[in-house]
Amino acid sequence: MARIVIDPGHGGSDSGAVYEGRREKDDNLRLALRVGEILENNGADIVYTRTTDVYNTPFEKAMMGNNADADYFISFHRNALPTPNTGTGIETLVFSNQGEAANIASSINAELAELGFTDRGVIERPNLVVLRRTRMPAVLVEAGFIDNEADNAKFDAEFEQIAQAIADGILNSVNVASTSAMVYDLPFPPGRPCMPLFRIQVAAYINYNNAAATLDNLLAQNLPAFIIREDELYKVQVGAYEILDNAIRMERRLREAGYNTFIVSGCQGRL
Ligand SMILES: [Zn+2]
């Protein structure tokens, strides 16, 4: 499973934005730890840039991610404007709005928007150090405005749902199969226990162009789809997941989108 860096923004001498005594660094830490815990429960390998109230520069945090050889970097922040109570909603920042980072960002935003937050979109911020200096896909989540009464009330009242939404956004868009390709390519050592893995098969075609068209549709919806060549067919699949419940959740989403699907299971290295 993917290794994900969880970066609670600011810390220590750097409080981040402050509104009526409420400090961004505290909200960031609390939310980041909870999202990390949910991801860990779903099989992710989590690396934190901080778990307590300490300061590191954004550059140091980016290097922690690079040194951890992580697959993804997720930074947690809360937003603020010069005039309090003028901004509301969520947004996710990326170095460049393309590829995996863009998929993860829009997936997180979509999940948070379902909770009723205004979706301010995916925004390119090429000058932010944690986005620019990280070598893996990196996103920075602005979980509502800390200088907005309504956003804070929602943050507190729906904290658990917000953490779950961000975790779902990550889990739905992270492609385990591509990030851990080496694991699947390794020959299966005899006597090794089966580490289960689940994928959702969306379609299988004799003709590559049909598979490519289906793949494009899925990728346009930010789904972690890919094509494999098997049994003389081009199979379009989504996943993979180590937790069956996550595969089932994704399959439900695909069926709602009109695809006729089934779940393929096997052992890592064999599937
Ligand atoms: Zn911040």
Side-chain angles (χ1 to χ4, degrees), residues 10 24 77-78:
H10 311 284
E24 186 198 342
H77 287 255
R78 300 206 60 215

Coordinates of all heavy atoms in Angstrom, one line a residue, residues 10 24 77-78, ligand 1:
H10 N 2.1 24.4 9.9 CA 2.6 25.2 11.0 C 3.1 24.4 12.2 O 3.4 23.3 12.1 CB 1.6 26.3 11.3 CG 1.1 27.0 10.1 ND1 1.8 28.0 9.4 CD2 -0.1 26.8 9.4 CE1 1.1 28.4 8.3 NE2 0.0 27.7 8.3
E24 N -4.5 28.1 14.1 CA -4.6 27.2 12.9 C -3.8 25.9 13.2 O -4.2 24.8 12.9 CB -4.1 27.9 11.7 CG -4.3 27.0 10.4 CD -3.4 27.5 9.2 OE1 -3.0 28.6 9.2 OE2 -3.3 26.7 8.3
H77 N -4.1 22.5 6.3 CA -4.2 23.9 6.7 C -5.6 24.3 6.9 O -6.5 23.6 6.5 CB -3.5 24.8 5.7 CG -2.0 24.6 5.7 ND1 -1.2 25.6 6.3 CD2 -1.2 23.6 5.3 CE1 0.1 25.1 6.1 NE2 0.1 24.0 5.5
R78 N -5.8 25.5 7.5 CA -7.0 26.2 7.4 C -6.8 27.6 6.9 O -5.8 28.2 7.1 CB -7.7 26.2 8.8 CG -7.9 24.8 9.4 CD -9.0 24.7 10.4 NE -10.3 25.1 9.8 CZ -11.2 25.8 10.5 NH1 -11.0 26.1 11.7 NH2 -12.3 26.1 9.9
Ligands
ZN1 ZN -1.7 27.5 7.0

